[in-house]
Amino acid sequence: MSTTETRPGTQADKGYQALGSRRDRADGRLKIQGLAPYAVEKSLENLAYAVVVQSTIPHGKIVNMDTDKARQAPGVLAVYNHESGLTIHPAKTFSSGGAAAQAFLPLQSDKVLWNGQHIALVVAETLEQATEAAALISTEYSGEEAAIHPDDPKAEPESSEATTVSWGEAVPSLAAAEVQVGGVYTTPREYNCPIEPHGCIAHWQNGELTLWEPSQWVGGARQVVSEWMAIDSAKVRVLSPYVGGGFGCKGGIQPHSALACVASRELDRPVKLALTRPQTFTAFGGRPRTHQQLALGATREGQLVSIVHESWNETALEDVHTEPCNSVTPLMYASPNFQSHHKLIHLNTVNPGWMRAPGENPSSFAIEVAMDELASKLKMDPIALRLKNYAEQDPQAGIPWSSRRLKEAYQAGAEAFGWHQRPLEPRTLREGRQLIGWGMASGTYPVRRTPGEAQIVLHGDGSIEVQSSGVDIGTGTYTILAQTAADVLHVPSDSIRVTLGDTRLARAPVAGGSQLANVLTGAVHKTALALRDALITLAVGTPGSPLFQVPPEKIRLADGALRLETQSDTRISLAELLRLSGNEELVAHQDTFGKEAGEEDRDAAASTASMMIPPTEGGVSAHSWSAIFVEVAVDEDFGTVRVRRMVGAFDSGRVYNPKLTESQWIGGMVMGIGQALLEEGMIDSRDGRIMNANLADYLVPVNADIPALETINVGEPDFLATALGGKAVGELGIVGVAAAISNAVWHATGKRIRDLPITQDKLL
């Protein structure tokens, strides 16, 4: 069951499939027919193929690398290593306000910092020749002692003051609390595993570089490439027409792309570099391991009096990625006393990176399992406990919510699930040897906003094209932007062409943080209004037009024409208006920047993180909300866990396209099942090797693992959050799912699992 938001009187009701309609994805047919052009499928003359060689030790130096056999192999054009003199300049990382995913620069020194680091590159006429030659390279190392695991004595925690949150007297209040619960909650290393592995094609021509790159952020990629190569960003063009999944790992351009760029420059020909699936596990990082020690203090009636939270995440030895495990704990519940500290532990690992709902995901796991533990200890219904501690405003910022329909999510989800039939005591429900458990959890994700631009072109034949450098990472940007334009221009949305993923187009921020749909619909809506006004002005000011000198307020757009409101026969088509007025095309370009913003601000929004507006900007706190309900069956003999059904009730504000929104919610719920029950990066303690760096051994959910999933929309337009009233969608779906499954497993078995994934060995 899914609710569909409709707005009476909108063009969505008149067959245009504009905003609010359940229009199919514009790119769907292309993808199922194999016609959608992905970055590494670009066909170029004289294309060379590059293969990366990676280290096999976790820490040390390269003493000798024998490349003679590789250089002499058939078809080999070049072999590069740290002695080749290839210069790659540092780029500003995202954590420092830039756009690079890692500070690491490949082939710049003999240092080895993790097992799987890029240490050489082979370029040949064919992929097979490059692969064969790469296997002929042998490397001698001088090993150094490595810190593989967070409990290594050499791995000292580093405080991250920027993530410290505190108010009241949390520690003494916890000690004095009538009821206390808590424990240690951990999540393992997890990997994004998009179907499309990372790869790119770099092509230097006349001092300029074109890069075909599967990217969530072409503007950021262009900026980083310009820094790597020390050339003006105007000489770099990045194209990403389609992305075969990313889930965060394609948000920042990765170091292998620097190798393709520099090799193309050296060889003066285009170079394709595609990572193998195993290489994607060490060429960039997924979600890092996290550890949270969380304690709740409450009255016997269930009123929270204190929350004390200490956490850390692993990061690279000489790099930084923060997975803020306290991003949800200060927000979800009202507590008069709160204290949270987050730390980083530097290890010999590739720098971790973004993975769906970074921070919010592990944070929600700890607080939502702890709340279930408190409900159990107090013998309260978990929803009743949450309602008792419902935060009517943002507890951390002390300001109102822009909107918070979490109570409505609890109610709608509970009714659809049949929650009122749930017994309080665990091990109460069973079917033969199957123990049945019901669990629930809350979720939230912030509304992040970055200003952006859009351009709409009315071509001479009357066709309409929406243009943006923003990308469609599989979430439906192509579709929603056409619907946005159709909402204003009153033409069928499937007749509007949308062009995306090119840095030569109107500037847009990263497709990450669940922000892009709200950012670009706002920009396209504003641009469409400007085009509409320009058309009306042209119609009333062009001699020979049937609308010449008609008052503008009496003119309407409909079905590719302008017409007199009271006389529909008095009309002129858009194409005829352009011909009559002597225009080959009409272009409208608008943005959502403030009036004081200059070109530097616009460039910064498209290429750095500096212009991102926090969710508390403007005197209200803007977040999306969810309530997840799960039923599991646990085999009493074997300890296997199966999710049998799941209901998610979501407040994402206004839903622009219910079909696409539900798809994103469901996708997050599926990833949450994988996180809860299957996914875990296995690390060899001897040498830091990732032992399951493939899709056979790194387990992700498949169709057989997924039960019936039901989504419910409880949101309403929130114009305090965004221009068109939408809130975050894509990352909300996963938040709280692992906690709900863990809570259901406890309800089935009476065993509390605080360490993900929930595997048989932890239950038997």
Side-chain angles (χ1 to χ4, degrees), residues 523-538:
V524 169
H525 180 81
K526 189 175 179 180
T527 306
L529 290 173
L531 179 61
R532 182 194 66 183
D533 292 346
L535 285 167
I536 293 174
T537 299
L538 199 62

Side-chain angles (χ1 to χ4, degrees), residues 18 41 85 128 134 165 172 188 263 393 432 445 509 542 679 725:
E41 296 175 334
E128 292 77 11
V165 181
Q393 67 171 7
Y445 195 81
T542 300
E679 298 186 46

